[in-house]
């Protein structure tokens, strides 16, 4: 494995600082429940940013086959992620929420998946290969988890389950763009970083955080803990998605890959 220096910068997320509504929701200005979620996931969140896949993607040394493995799994993941948003539509009659869910589905297919398709075309992988990829155990566990929440849970469960997908990517995208700004121009993964570093992408998390914040008002501690667990599981799943792609691992144990 290429050795890449860990990120030693102090991160902006300040757990003790009061939320200032005048500044709006930002990575370093979070309302109380979002701050609680972010704090509960902090160890995994920071380990996630510092894992080899993200370090090497940031400095441009990630092996193409690892990135391709990730993109293929992610292409399939995104289809299920779109279904989760479609199921969220069935849990509400609020037109604003419905519109948000439709917009996310649209941007999954018109923005995110199309970046994946362009990369894969450059790697010589056909669309039919993309559609027929064998799903890894880790990717299946993650999508099964969010789909089961989408089928069985209420709207709030779903908003909390998709929040790590939006927020982790926005956070890492912005941090990678800042940390590796000097070399990003020649980085083969620049398009990927560019997609997630934008204010527009972050605004999806802002919408979720605002709505979750509003919906948790008056809920008891037991329910808040359930939501915290959904969120932390999601952040762990995000970590494992990259980590298993780095190892190009399809099965729970690497030796089981060879048996297939
Ligand atoms: C696994 C995963 N999680 C989140 C994202 C960002 N939509 C993504 N593309 N892939």
């Amino acid at each position: 494995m290429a050795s890449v220096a860990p990120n030693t910068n102090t991160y902006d997320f300040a757990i003790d600082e009061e939320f200032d509504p005048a500044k709006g929701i930002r990575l370093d200005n979070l309302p109380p429940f979002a701050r609680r979620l972010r704090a509960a996931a902090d160890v995994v969140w920071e380990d996630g940013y510092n894992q080899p896949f993200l370090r090497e993607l940031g400095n441009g040394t990630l092996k193409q086959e690892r990135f391709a493995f990730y993109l293929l799994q992610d292409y399939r993941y995104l289809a299920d992620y779109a279904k989760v948003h479609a199921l969220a539509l069935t849990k509400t009659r609020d037109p604003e929420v419905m519109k948000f869910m439709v917009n996310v589905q649209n941007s999954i297919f018109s923005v995110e998946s199309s970046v994946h398709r362009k990369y894969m075309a450059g790697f010589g992988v056909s669309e039919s290969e993309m559609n027929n990829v064998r799903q890894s155990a880790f990717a299946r566990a993650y999508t099964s988890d969010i789909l089961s929440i989408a089928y069985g849970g209420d709207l709030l469960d779903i908003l909390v389950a998709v929040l790590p997908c939006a927020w982790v990517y926005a956070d890492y995208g912005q941090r990678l763009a800042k940390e590796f700004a000097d070399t990003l121009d020649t980085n083969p993964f620049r398009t990927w970083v560019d997609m997630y570093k934008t204010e527009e992408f972050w605004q999806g998390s802002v919408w979720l955080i605002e709505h979750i914040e509003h919906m948790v008002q008056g809920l008891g501690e037991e329910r808040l803990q359930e939501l915290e667990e959904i969120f932390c599981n999601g952040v762990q799943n995000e970590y494992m998605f990259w980590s298993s792609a780095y190892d190009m691992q399809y099965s729970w144990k690497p030796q089981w890959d060879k048996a297939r």
Side-chain angles (χ1 to χ4, degrees), residues 109-128:
F109 292 110
S110 60
V111 182
E112 282 193 81
S113 297
S114 87
V115 165
H116 289 46
R117 269 195 298 274
K118 274 185 204 138
Y119 267 114
M120 295 317 295
F123 299 161
V125 177
S126 71
E127 200 143 342
S128 140

Side-chain angles (χ1 to χ4, degrees), residues 81-124:
Y81 186 57
K83 288 184 194 177
V84 169
H85 288 80
L87 287 161
L89 265 175
T90 68
K91 316 264 173 173
T92 180
R93 296 183 62 195
D94 180 338
E96 202 219 318
V97 177
M98 296 172 93
K99 204 169 126 201
F100 175 81
M101 297 302 160
V102 170
N103 285 341
V104 174
Q105 290 171 70
N106 189 38
S107 85
I108 287 168
F109 292 110
S110 60
V111 182
E112 282 193 81
S113 297
S114 87
V115 165
H116 289 46
R117 269 195 298 274
K118 274 185 204 138
Y119 267 114
M120 295 317 295
F123 299 161

Side-chain angles (χ1 to χ4, degrees), residues 81-249:
Y81 186 57
K83 288 184 194 177
V84 169
H85 288 80
L87 287 161
L89 265 175
T90 68
K91 316 264 173 173
T92 180
R93 296 183 62 195
D94 180 338
E96 202 219 318
V97 177
M98 296 172 93
K99 204 169 126 201
F100 175 81
M101 297 302 160
V102 170
N103 285 341
V104 174
Q105 290 171 70
N106 189 38
S107 85
I108 287 168
F109 292 110
S110 60
V111 182
E112 282 193 81
S113 297
S114 87
V115 165
H116 289 46
R117 269 195 298 274
K118 274 185 204 138
Y119 267 114
M120 295 317 295
F123 299 161
V125 177
S126 71
E127 200 143 342
S128 140
E129 286 172 273
M130 292 179 75
N131 288 327
N132 291 301
V133 71
R134 175 179 160 201
Q135 194 173 32
S136 77
F138 303 90
R140 189 165 46 251
Y142 190 2
T143 53
S144 302
D145 201 22
I146 48 176
L147 278 167
S148 81
I149 291 168
Y151 278 113
D154 64 15
L155 180 66
L156 180 56
D157 291 317
I158 302 177
L159 298 189
V160 174
V162 297
L163 180 58
C165 320
W167 188 358
V168 165
Y169 272 64
D171 181 278
Y172 292 0
Q174 290 188 30
R175 286 164 78 177
L176 287 170
K178 225 187 273 176
E179 190 185 342
F180 295 99
D182 292 348
T183 52
L184 213 54
D185 276 349
T186 53
N187 185 323
F189 312 110
R190 182 191 173 149
T191 312
W192 188 92
V193 175
D194 282 349
M195 173 166 55
Y196 294 117
K197 73 169 193 199
T198 61
E199 179 59 25
E200 191 188 351
F201 190 79
W202 165 242
Q203 282 306 312
S205 302
V206 170
W207 189 98
L208 288 166
I209 289 170
E210 260 172 358
H211 281 74
I212 291 167
E213 207 68 31
H214 180 69
M215 290 168 83
V216 297
Q217 297 309 312
L219 296 182
E221 181 53 28
E222 204 177 318
R223 176 70 175 131
L224 297 180
Q225 277 177 23
E226 270 174 24
L227 297 170
E228 191 179 299
E229 193 174 335
I230 290 174
F231 182 80
C232 290
N233 285 342
V235 177
Q236 289 186 21
N237 283 328
E238 290 294 349
Y239 177 106
M240 286 310 301
F241 202 94
W242 277 305
S243 158
S244 57
Y246 189 84
D247 296 335
M248 300 200 295
Q249 193 175 336

Side-chain angles (χ1 to χ4, degrees), residues 13-68:
F13 162 65
I15 197 163
D16 300 326
E17 268 166 38
E18 278 284 297
F19 175 57
D20 178 356
K23 287 192 203 158
I25 295 172
R26 298 192 326 221
L27 288 166
D28 61 351
N29 186 46
L30 298 168
F33 191 62
R35 204 148 15 113
R36 170 175 168 166
L37 295 176
R38 177 63 185 78
D42 191 48
V43 171
V44 184
W45 194 292
E46 291 309 299
D47 281 355
Y49 184 66
N50 281 300
Q51 66 179 301
F53 190 103
L54 271 296
R55 307 306 305 150
E56 292 175 23
L57 185 147
N59 75 5
T61 60
L62 183 65
K63 285 205 173 109
Q64 182 178 303
E65 61 259 41
R66 291 185 163 136
F67 189 60

